[in-house]
Each structure stands twice: as structure tokens, then as C-alpha cells.
Amino acid sequence: MGVSLYTTFSPSTSKGVNLTVARERGQLVFLEGLKSAVDVFFQTQEEPHPLQFLREANAGNLKPLFEFVREALKPVDGGEARWTYPVLLVDDLSVLLSLGVGAVAVLDFIHYCRATVCWELKGNMVILVHDSGDVEDEENDILLNGVSHQSHLILRAEGLATGFCRDVHGQLRILWRRPSQPTAQRDQSLTYQYKIQDKSVSFFAKGMSPAVL
Amino acid sequence: MLDSLLSLGGLVLLRDSVEWEGRSLLKALVKKSALCGEQVHILGCEVSEEEFREGFDSDINNRLVYHDFFRDPLNWSKTEEALPGGPLGALRAICKRTDPGPVTIALDSLSWLLLHLPCTTLCQALHAVSHQDSCPGDSSPVGKVSVLGLLHEELHGPGPVGALSSLAQTEVTLGGRKGQASAHILCRRPRQRPTDQTQWFSILPDFSLDLQEGPSVESQPCSDPHIPPVDPTTHLTFNLHLSKKEREARDSLILPFQFSSEKQQALLRPRPGQATSHIFYEPDAYDDLDQEDPDDDLDI
């Protein structure tokens, strides 16, 4: 199951996975942030809406959003869960900052999601955060570093230092933060370059793009 | 020095970063304390108890007392399981113990506490805990208290980090190069000058500390013994070198404005025959020499 915020759900398929069918089966739970945000303002809600913080002057915490995530992960009818090892996809956290939520409140939300998804249900989480780059954004830096410290694996996608290239779209730096791995590599970080294709991404070592070899 | 950090007591600040994480060093120091027979308390706010205990064998795990603030730190589930008083309440409760033995408290992490509590409250609590052995009016002798605090440097401004740093007896800043971790240790002993030292180390899978020499110098790519260094002064169209005579002449040159004793004597001693100076003038054909003084009519 997955929850994805703030992208419009188009029935495009990735290789071998039909997201529309998954949604119908209940395997994929999609919170469409844009549509939901409109509902908060124009429809009366009995129980707190996941995006309730949009209505509040001082957005204290994201507890209603976390309650939504926890409800979505509960097995239907109190029986056995049909799906094992859930994955929570968050796209993306930086939007929450620009909607007025404080960095610490977002970090607390991620903490609680981690406790439920990763620890209780033995699942995984994938979170997208934008790096503010050259712009000095203290709140975004706290959010980015806070989430990085909570992560076991960090994937940093950045453009090439030399500029735009048609055949190499960017560079991906992989940083492992999990200690106590008996087979831990001496080099805890690796860098690959990549090219985004229609339904997949191809990776190659630096300077080894097929276009330049 | 890294393996004797806890012998001094007080607050030990472990400063880590995203690139060089500090939890494995924290666990290694916790293991060391447990093996020394000390009572070890963990205030776990960032990782679950299972994740923290992972990698320790059972006799170490039996000595660790884990206070769980990971599952529901903000009491969102509104159950009765939440520990009263929060993390600081638990910290004070540990210190009110009657057991006189030494105790180690690991805070995982100080950053979590700093983000959720006012800095002054946290500093006061840490000061009270780490200076407990000088508490007056307490009849029972209290053992040494060591507090290990994990701090994620990038999350805080210089003010709070500076405040915690001034409270700490020892500060360990983690860094590294080429996949090898290093710890820069700054130690403040009372009535002595602070000492600092850099120690290269690695943590083994069972969380024992392996002290090492630094990364090998040969791995630097810049010095290649097969390519001789190039002298840039060869093959020039102009001469940059001085011959021996030229060098001697240059060294013996006296600069015109250099005031030496010879020059001073020459100025003080007036030379004979030069009381007045003469100007020799050859007039041109077009010069108009008028012997009258044009300033005669001025009444000065």
C-alpha cells in the first residue's frame, strides 16, 4: 500500500505495475493532496481532516495526517492484513513547510510514521525532500538534516557539475547510514550518473555513459 | 584517549553529522560502560529499543535499562503508557536513585531534546545531573555520573550548541576521510588546560572500538614518483638567474634612502669648498634679460 501526497493521480503505468488496478484492489491508498485541500475549505467535516492544519492559524502538529496514515494501514474489518510490509511514499515534505507547518512538527510526523510503518509493521518509508541549494532556508535545512539523520539510506540526486547534458540527466549519490552491518562496505557512499527513460532509469558509473564511450 | 572518555565523568558531547553518524560510537561507549560493571540507562527518543539493542549480546543487554521515548513521545495515542514527566522527568528519576555505584546515562539524542524543550531547561537539567556529586546536604555518597549526549550538529544554531559545549567536560566531534572515521576529542579537566587530540577509529560489528592510525599517506593521488617535478625557470627567453659577481654587487648596494651611520656622518660634517652653490646659466638668443628686480616696488 502506499500514500502519495500532492501529485495528481494519472493512470499511467510503470513497468509491470498497474497502479489503477492496485488502487481498486485496495493495495494502493492514494491521498491526493490538491483535491483534499479543497475539501477542507469547502466541505464540512465531522472528524478532523488529514489536512486540517490548513485551516488552523498556528498549525501545531500533523496528528490528523498521521491518524489518516495509521487508519489506512489498519487491516480491513479487524482481520488479517491482506498485504504485508507496507511502504509509505511521501511526495514531498518541503511542500508542508511552505504551507506553514513548522520543521519540528513535520519531523514529529515523520517520527510517528516511522514508529508505525517501520517498527510496528516492519515496512519501509520513502520520503522526498527538496534541498534549498544556494538559497538560505533555515527551516528547510533543519527539515532536510533532521530527516537525513532519521534515515538509513540517503539518495541525493543533483545535476551535473558541468551543466546540462542530453544523455546524462544527473548524478545520484548513495549514502548508507546504517551502522552495525557485518558486511558494511568501507566506502559508505557511491556515486552514479543516470539517464531517465520513458518507464525506467538507467544507471552507469561516472563518465561511462553509453553516449560518450 | 577515546576508550577512556567515560572515566572523567560529567557530560560527554558526541557531535555527529549526516555524513559521519555518531550512534555506533555511542553504542560502543555504552558497551564499554556495561562491561565495566556500571549501571547504564538509555533515554531513547530517536530509534526503537530493538534497533538500539541490535548488535549487543545478551549479557550487555541485561545491564541496559532502556527508557522508551520513541514509540509515543508526544502522547498522541493518549494511552496511560506514556512515562510521566517526559524525558527530563526520567532523567531526574535516574539521578534520585539510592544506589551508590557509578552510572552512565546515554541521551539518544540531545538533538531531539533540544528541538522539543527550551534550551535553558535542558541545560539546567544537564548541569544538575552532571554535577550531582557536589550536591550539598546529601548524606548518602552518590557515585560518579557520566552523561553521553548525541548531538546532530547541523540541526541547531551556534547559540544552543555553544551552551551545551560549555557544559560539557569532553567534546567529541566526528569526521573522517576516505571512508575512515575520526574523532576530534577536546577534554576540559578542572584547573588544567584543555587538551585536544584526533583519534582514527572504526567500530566493529559487535560494537567494540578499534583504534587505528590515520589513512595511509600513499593513497594520496598527487605525488607520483615516476614523473619528476618540472622546473619552470628552464627554457625561458629571458634570464632569471644571477651570476656570482652580479649577486655580490646586488648585496653590497646601499639603498638611497637607507640611513646608515656613514651617511649620518657625511651630513653632519660640512664639506669644504661648498659653502655656497653656483648656478651656471647660458642665455638663449630670445631671452629677455632685465636686470631690474620686478619685486622692487613691493613694500614688504
Side-chain angles (χ1 to χ4, degrees), chain A residues 164-184:
Chain A
F164 173 76
C165 173
R166 209 178 44 204
D167 298 303
V168 180
H169 291 152
Q171 190 164 284
L172 187 74
R173 195 161 153 241
I174 305 171
L175 182 69
W176 279 275
R177 289 195 79 248
R178 184 162 206 153
S180 80
Q181 291 247 334
T183 54

Side-chain angles (χ1 to χ4, degrees), chain A residues 12-194:
Chain A
S12 62
T13 62
S14 63
K15 222 180 207 173
V17 174
N18 191 328
L19 295 176
T20 321
V21 169
R23 194 183 195 182
E24 284 160 11
R25 284 195 302 183
Q27 191 180 13
L28 172 68
V29 175
F30 194 95
L31 173 65
E32 214 163 337
L34 286 173
K35 247 171 71 172
S36 241
V38 172
D39 291 340
V40 170
F41 290 107
F42 296 112
Q43 287 181 23
T44 48
Q45 307 283 331
E46 292 88 26
E47 71 258 352
H49 190 275
L51 302 180
Q52 189 66 31
F53 64 89
L54 290 171
R55 291 217 71 132
E56 290 159 14
N58 294 324
N61 59 40
L62 291 172
K63 190 169 162 208
L65 191 58
F66 165 68
E67 301 284 343
F68 167 81
V69 169
R70 214 182 36 184
E71 283 301 310
L73 291 170
K74 263 198 197 145
V76 181
D77 299 329
E80 281 268 332
R82 280 176 69 199
W83 315 101
T84 54
Y85 305 128
V87 175
L88 177 65
L89 297 162
V90 183
D91 174 17
D92 71 65
L93 275 188
S94 306
V95 174
L96 290 173
L97 276 190
S98 52
L99 288 171
V101 188
V104 179
V106 181
L107 288 174
D108 289 338
F109 164 69
I110 294 297
H111 177 111
Y112 269 88
C113 288
R114 238 181 356 120
T116 305
V117 175
C118 301
W119 174 71
E120 207 178 303
L121 299 169
K122 311 283 181 268
N124 290 307
M125 279 174 65
V126 182
I127 303 169
L128 175 62
V129 184
H130 290 301
D131 192 348
S132 48
D134 297 331
V135 175
E136 285 275 340
D137 188 343
E138 211 181 287
E139 288 276 300
N140 198 55
D141 287 341
I142 293 175
L143 177 65
L144 179 61
N145 289 318
V147 172
S148 301
H149 275 286
Q150 290 190 41
S151 310
H152 294 115
L153 179 66
I154 300 175
L155 304 171
R156 263 194 206 123
E158 51 202 14
L160 295 177
T162 44
F164 173 76
C165 173
R166 209 178 44 204
D167 298 303
V168 180
H169 291 152
Q171 190 164 284
L172 187 74
R173 195 161 153 241
I174 305 171
L175 182 69
W176 279 275
R177 289 195 79 248
R178 184 162 206 153
S180 80
Q181 291 247 334
T183 54
Q185 298 150 334
R186 274 293 90 190
D187 296 325
Q188 63 195 89
S189 85
L190 285 176
T191 308
Y192 288 108
Q193 292 179 341
Y194 62 87

Side-chain angles (χ1 to χ4, degrees), chain B residues 53-66:
Chain B
R53 288 184 185 271
E54 194 183 324
F56 289 145
D57 44 6
S58 54
D59 56 316
I60 307 260
N61 270 322
N62 290 337
R63 290 178 211 256
L64 299 186
V65 179
Y66 194 88

Side-chain angles (χ1 to χ4, degrees), chain B residues 9-300:
Chain B
L11 175 63
V12 177
L13 203 60
L14 281 180
R15 296 166 68 149
D16 76 345
S17 58
V18 173
E19 197 87 28
W20 299 98
E21 56 89 27
R23 188 162 290 114
S24 39
L25 181 60
L26 180 73
K27 284 172 78 164
L29 294 172
V30 158
K31 175 177 171 168
K32 231 178 181 33
S33 289
L35 287 175
C36 291
E38 291 185 13
Q39 207 185 76
V40 183
H41 292 262
I42 323 274
L43 255 69
C45 311
E46 283 196 353
V47 295
S48 65
E49 189 172 350
E50 283 83 0
E51 196 178 328
F52 195 89
R53 288 184 185 271
E54 194 183 324
F56 289 145
D57 44 6
S58 54
D59 56 316
I60 307 260
N61 270 322
N62 290 337
R63 290 178 211 256
L64 299 186
V65 179
Y66 194 88
H67 305 261
D68 191 349
F69 291 99
F70 168 74
R71 257 188 305 161
D72 191 5
L74 306 172
N75 202 19
W76 280 4
S77 61
K78 297 249 187 302
T79 61
E80 299 306 311
E81 289 172 17
L83 298 164
L88 286 191
L91 196 59
R92 290 186 199 109
I94 297 167
C95 296
K96 281 198 180 71
R97 75 207 190 286
T98 50
D99 182 10
V103 75
T104 298
I105 307 173
L107 301 173
D108 180 12
S109 63
L110 263 180
S111 281
W112 193 94
L113 295 172
L114 202 53
L115 287 176
H116 291 86
L117 299 166
C119 183
T120 47
T121 314
L122 180 61
C123 287
Q124 282 164 358
L126 284 176
H127 185 267
V129 165
S130 48
H131 288 77
Q132 206 195 10
D133 38 348
S134 58
C135 183
D138 200 343
S139 54
S140 61
V142 178
K144 174 175 70 75
V145 178
S146 304
V147 181
L148 280 170
L150 182 62
L151 188 71
H152 307 309
E153 283 193 303
E154 306 108 327
L155 295 181
H156 313 287
V161 173
L164 286 173
S165 169
S166 64
L167 279 176
Q169 273 70 44
T170 314
E171 252 180 82
V172 181
T173 306
L174 288 158
R177 198 155 56 95
K178 289 191 178 63
Q180 189 151 13
S182 72
H184 179 248
I185 308 162
L186 178 67
C187 208
R188 292 186 196 102
R189 286 198 193 86
R191 293 180 295 279
Q192 283 183 33
R193 231 174 345 148
T195 54
D196 71 335
Q197 185 202 23
T198 301
Q199 174 71 60
W200 297 87
F201 69 97
S202 72
I203 310 279
L204 301 174
D206 66 348
F207 291 102
S208 356
L209 207 51
D210 180 25
L211 303 177
Q212 288 166 351
E213 305 296 318
S216 53
V217 183
E218 293 111 43
S219 57
Q220 283 173 17
C222 30
S223 58
D224 192 339
H226 299 294
I227 300 172
V230 175
D231 182 12
T233 57
T234 53
H235 309 302
L236 288 174
T237 54
F238 47 90
N239 182 23
L240 277 179
H241 301 286
L242 289 174
S243 71
K244 193 159 171 277
K245 260 173 72 174
E246 287 168 339
R247 203 181 295 275
E248 279 170 6
R250 188 185 74 169
D251 290 339
S252 59
L253 185 65
I254 301 172
L255 295 173
F257 301 107
Q258 202 166 345
F259 196 67
S260 61
S261 56
E262 291 93 4
K263 196 159 181 181
Q264 190 180 27
Q265 294 305 315
L267 286 172
L268 288 174
R269 213 183 316 118
R271 279 219 250 164
Q274 282 203 355
T276 56
S277 52
H278 296 274
I279 299 171
F280 298 97
Y281 176 62
E282 290 284 339
D284 283 340
Y286 307 103
D287 271 334
D288 178 23
L289 286 177
D290 189 358
Q291 297 300 328
E292 267 185 25
D293 188 357
D295 295 324
D296 259 350
D297 55 348
L298 284 177
D299 184 18
I300 299 169

